[in-house]
Amino acid sequence: MERLGGDGVLGTVDADRSDPAYRAWLKDAVRKVQADANRSADTHLLRYPLPEQWGIDLYLKDESTHPTGSLKHRLARSLFLYGLCNGWIRPDRPVIEASSGSTAVSEAYFAQLIGVPFIAVMPRTTSREKTRLIEFHGGRCHLVEDPRTVYEVSAALAADSGGHYMDQFTYAERATDWRGNNNIAESIYTQLRMERYPEPAWIVATAGTGGTSATIARYVRYMQLDTRVCVADPENSCFFEGWTTGDPGASSDHGSRIEGIGRPRMEPSFVPGAIDRMMKVPDAASVAAVRALERAIGRKAGGSTGTGLWSALKIVSEMVGEGRTGSVVSLICDAGDRYLDKYYSDRWLAEQGLDIEPYSAAIDVLLATGALPD
């Protein structure tokens, strides 16, 4: 029987979804995905050292400690539960995803967990370590030259194989329960409960799908909190332009150098109306910030962490200048060992024409004086 499924993919579907064998498989698959969350401890909230006299605390939610090493583990778990409960993910049929790497690593993990094939459609520039991790978890990588084609290629592969195109860029904001249920926002506020400023002045996120910023911003409003949400956007991304101009058709002709964030189009899961502020962050500043993070706390992180940290430090400098106290929270999105050949490589920086020294010096000045140079 051929029909257009709920995920918009034309393929063969079972005529009877109440088939006992399928329902038994579905129950077991959902149990396995939920069990993963049940046995995983929450991620840590780390402090970034700032001068005590400022009266400002800067925290980093370390999402790199998830089983698959990134913030995207939460998203992949939600997407798999969403797809399973909608009847879109079926036994023995592949799950296909368009990704810049980290989501695909996490989805490969969950696909292997429930025993379905997985194909990741990614730009050819994706870090080698990410492709290795996808394959380690049993997935297959389908690389494309033009990052803007990942959507169409993924949909075509799903149609040809009778599989399910997960489409994180459409479903990220709706698959996650933003009201609570141990989402990232609820976790942040729970962990801040005993701190001196338990309700942060700002939470800084970055946007790939936009799902994390939408979850945090919606939760803040739902809980009637005064926290503001800022989204930091890298070069070669259209989110900042689309947010500032109100243009849902904003686009970029180039892919982002900061893997995992920044998109060439306004993604359906990016919710501009929920966001209080956006900052455009130079890629060199992102790399400078992530290297400053290693000097400060001894941890390597990915470039998207640096994008958010640069914006968080800028907010801290504004608070110092205005004489305000409080807390600011940003995210460690993934670990830096995936990017040793990029953000931690001086050769890569030279090839990209990125000079991080002015931004590194600016961070040093900020930490010494509280002021971020223009």
Side-chain angles (χ1 to χ4, degrees):
M1 175 182 175
E2 298 279 329
R3 73 176 180 88
L4 190 65
D7 54 0
V9 174
L10 184 65
T12 302
V13 299
D14 296 332
D16 183 6
R17 289 181 183 261
S18 64
D19 174 67
Y22 163 67
R23 292 304 292 262
W25 176 87
L26 176 61
K27 288 173 64 176
D28 190 54
V30 170
R31 179 192 62 77
K32 288 176 178 176
V33 176
Q34 290 180 333
D36 172 83
N38 193 53
R39 64 175 173 264
S40 299
D42 199 4
T43 60
H44 304 300
L45 195 63
L46 308 178
R47 291 190 65 176
Y48 189 101
L50 297 176
E52 182 68 24
Q53 64 268 26
W54 291 358
I56 299 172
D57 297 328
L58 175 57
Y59 301 91
L60 294 160
K61 179 72 165 160
D62 187 4
E63 295 291 283
S64 72
T65 58
H66 282 295
T68 54
S70 83
L71 169 70
K72 299 300 185 180
H73 193 86
R74 293 181 191 268
L75 172 60
R77 186 166 57 219
S78 295
L79 288 168
F80 265 81
L81 288 172
Y82 192 70
L84 285 165
C85 294
N86 283 337
W88 296 345
I89 299 174
R90 308 288 287 177
D92 302 320
R93 297 184 189 172
V95 170
I96 296 96
E97 182 63 284
S99 174
S100 56
S102 287
T103 303
V105 173
S106 299
E107 289 186 3
Y109 168 91
F110 283 106
Q112 186 177 57
L113 188 68
I114 67 171
V116 297
F118 179 76
I119 303 171
V121 180
M122 305 184 300
R124 191 169 295 279
T125 54
T126 301
S127 72
R128 291 190 297 272
E129 178 62 10
K130 285 183 180 178
T131 59
R132 185 193 71 80
L133 287 169
I134 291 164
E135 292 168 351
F136 173 79
H137 291 299
R140 179 164 66 87
C141 299
H142 184 103
L143 303 179
V144 299
E145 298 296 337
D146 186 347
R148 294 171 295 179
T149 66
V150 293
Y151 318 96
E152 293 81 6
V153 172
S154 297
L157 285 173
D160 292 342
S161 66
H164 169 56
Y165 171 27
M166 191 73 90
D167 195 1
Q168 59 168 321
F169 298 105
T170 294
Y171 295 107
E173 56 87 13
R174 66 190 75 172
T176 302
D177 184 356
W178 50 267
R179 295 172 184 84
N181 192 25
N182 196 34
N183 66 30
I184 189 170
E186 184 179 59
S187 176
I188 288 170
Y189 282 93
T190 298
Q191 291 175 316
L192 284 172
R193 191 172 294 158
M194 298 182 68
E195 302 298 306
R196 62 174 174 171
Y197 306 116
E199 184 176 331
W202 287 91
I203 296 177
V204 180
T206 50
T209 63
T212 298
S213 60
T215 297
I216 294 172
R218 287 166 167 171
Y219 181 86
V220 165
R221 296 178 180 202
Y222 180 69
M223 298 301 291
Q224 304 161 58
L225 301 168
D226 291 326
T227 303
R228 299 294 183 261
V229 176
C230 174
V231 171
D233 202 35
E235 294 177 27
N236 300 329
S237 174
C238 69
F239 286 146
F240 180 83
E241 179 189 355
W243 184 82
T244 54
T245 65
D247 179 11
S251 63
S252 172
D253 292 334
H254 304 284
S256 173
R257 281 183 293 209
I258 307 300
E259 286 192 27
I261 62 171
R263 300 301 302 168
R265 70 175 192 182
M266 294 289 281
E267 302 293 355
S269 281
F270 180 67
V271 184
I275 297 164
D276 299 292
R277 180 179 183 181
M278 288 199 71
M279 292 189 197
K280 196 72 172 178
V281 178
D283 290 347
S286 297
V287 178
V290 83
R291 292 192 178 190
L293 175 68
E294 183 183 16
R295 294 194 297 274
I297 68 171
R299 299 285 294 276
K300 283 185 170 69
S304 57
T305 298
T307 307
L309 179 57
W310 176 267
S311 293
L313 289 170
K314 183 174 182 179
I315 288 172
V316 167
S317 73
E318 293 169 354
M319 293 173 66
V320 172
E322 295 165 4
R324 291 187 288 128
T325 59
S327 58
V328 179
V329 179
S330 190
L331 309 175
I332 296 179
C333 303
D334 61 0
D337 55 4
R338 299 179 177 185
Y339 309 100
L340 297 180
D341 60 343
K342 285 193 172 186
Y343 313 125
Y344 293 92
S345 166
D346 291 339
R347 178 179 177 179
W348 181 84
L349 289 176
E351 290 172 350
Q352 298 295 316
L354 295 176
D355 181 10
I356 68 171
E357 292 307 319
Y359 299 100
S360 296
I363 293 172
D364 290 340
V365 170
L366 164 63
L367 295 176
T369 68
L372 190 64
D374 293 332

